[in-house]
Amino acid sequence: MGDTAIFRDPAGRTKADIEAGDELLPKFDKDGLLGAIVTDEAGAVLMFAWMNAEALARSLETGVAHFWSRSRNRIWVKGEESGNVLRIREARIDCDQDALWLKVAVDGAGVACHTGARSCFYRAIVPGDAGGFRLVASDH
Amino acid sequence: MGDTAIFRDPAGRTKADIEAGDELLPKFDKDGLLGAIVTDEAGAVLMFAWMNAEALARSLETGVAHFWSRSRNRIWVKGEESGNVLRIREARIDCDQDALWLKVAVDGAGVACHTGARSCFYRAIVPGDAGGFRLVASDH
């Protein structure tokens, strides 16, 4: 699952070190993964994907978003086939350093979703006619 | 971990049902959880948290964001103590229905992070002076 020793280990660090410090101490989950929220520069959420330590290191070093595919069990560069590569304009980490926010510019056709949609979040959840909920197309 | 039977089960459904249909078929992970990205209406990412089926149902029914706390092992209403309740303006689901995007208005002081910051994502990752990476404060 990649070498988490690429980054310093947050184990044993204080809450203040993690929440208020300037050290990058990413906290990978029990599968060695960290969630990454991808938005465009205007703030539309484009996709959500996972990084292991190696994907995070490659993303930060190259400025091109790399993820860990849980289905294919390998590192992938988003857009490696479609050309819709994600150029990282800013990477932020949250308070407890277990989630990332990447602001990106999308190469090529500007499409982030494998369905051809610009964003993976192309449906809103609304009340159903007979109770429950249904989905409706929702553009940005 | 809550009753996933609150929602229809995506198992056995086609990719087209899940990706292109109007049925809400949330895919909870092996721990019964779904990741929820929370942004304000302008698109700033405020926080990332987890929902089980019950938290999702309560969120959609009440319009107030409920999450599942993995540390406290219970449902929680964000802001139940601080007053910074999240009012859901729109809920979207992604292509494979395993991640949510909530656009919210924050009650009270408008603060989403337990540290007192408006957003949990208050630090950007930048190159370190001696290699590696460090964190710097970053406002919206």
Side-chain angles (χ1 to χ4, degrees), chain A residues 24-103:
Chain A
L24 178 59
L25 299 165
K27 186 180 168 194
F28 297 93
D29 70 13
K30 60 186 185 295
D31 295 321
L33 301 176
L34 195 66
I37 300 158
V38 178
T39 76
D40 65 17
E41 292 176 280
V45 180
L46 300 178
M47 58 181 283
F48 178 77
W50 298 92
M51 290 186 180
N52 64 357
E54 190 183 341
L56 176 57
R58 289 197 204 173
S59 296
L60 295 175
E61 283 159 9
T62 65
V64 168
H66 292 62
F67 300 103
W68 177 259
S69 168
R70 295 179 300 172
S71 55
R72 289 172 290 173
N73 225 42
R74 69 168 178 88
I75 299 265
W76 58 293
V77 173
K78 168 69 199 166
E80 60 193 2
E81 290 174 16
S82 65
N84 298 313
V85 166
L86 306 178
R87 307 278 169 191
I88 301 170
R89 298 306 187 211
E90 187 180 51
R92 296 194 193 192
I93 199 154
D94 74 342
C95 46
D96 51 2
Q97 302 207 31
D98 66 358
L100 289 168
W101 172 14
L102 306 179
K103 288 189 202 180

Side-chain angles (χ1 to χ4, degrees), chain B:
Chain B
M1 293 294 288
D3 179 7
T4 55
I6 296 172
F7 298 100
R8 294 166 190 143
D9 187 351
R13 297 307 187 97
T14 65
K15 204 173 164 72
D17 285 342
I18 291 165
E19 295 186 350
D22 66 356
E23 268 190 290
L24 178 59
L25 299 165
K27 187 181 167 193
F28 297 93
D29 70 12
K30 60 185 185 293
D31 296 321
L33 301 176
L34 195 67
I37 300 159
V38 179
T39 75
D40 64 18
E41 290 177 281
V45 181
L46 299 178
M47 57 181 285
F48 178 78
W50 297 92
M51 289 186 180
N52 63 357
E54 190 183 340
L56 176 58
R58 290 198 204 173
S59 296
L60 294 175
E61 283 158 10
T62 64
V64 168
H66 292 62
F67 301 102
W68 177 260
S69 170
R70 295 179 300 173
S71 55
R72 290 172 291 173
N73 225 43
R74 68 169 179 89
I75 299 267
W76 59 292
V77 173
K78 168 71 199 165
E80 61 193 0
E81 291 174 16
S82 65
N84 299 313
V85 167
L86 306 179
R87 308 278 169 191
I88 301 170
R89 298 306 189 208
E90 187 180 51
R92 294 194 193 190
I93 199 153
D94 74 343
C95 46
D96 51 3
Q97 302 207 31
D98 67 356
L100 289 167
W101 171 14
L102 305 178
K103 289 189 201 179
V104 306
V106 187
D107 272 5
V111 159
C113 184
H114 75 284
T115 62
R118 203 171 80 76
S119 161
C120 295
F121 294 84
Y122 49 81
R123 289 170 297 179
I125 306 172
V126 298
D129 297 328
F133 297 93
R134 67 189 175 87
L135 305 179
V136 295
S138 184
D139 285 332
H140 291 293

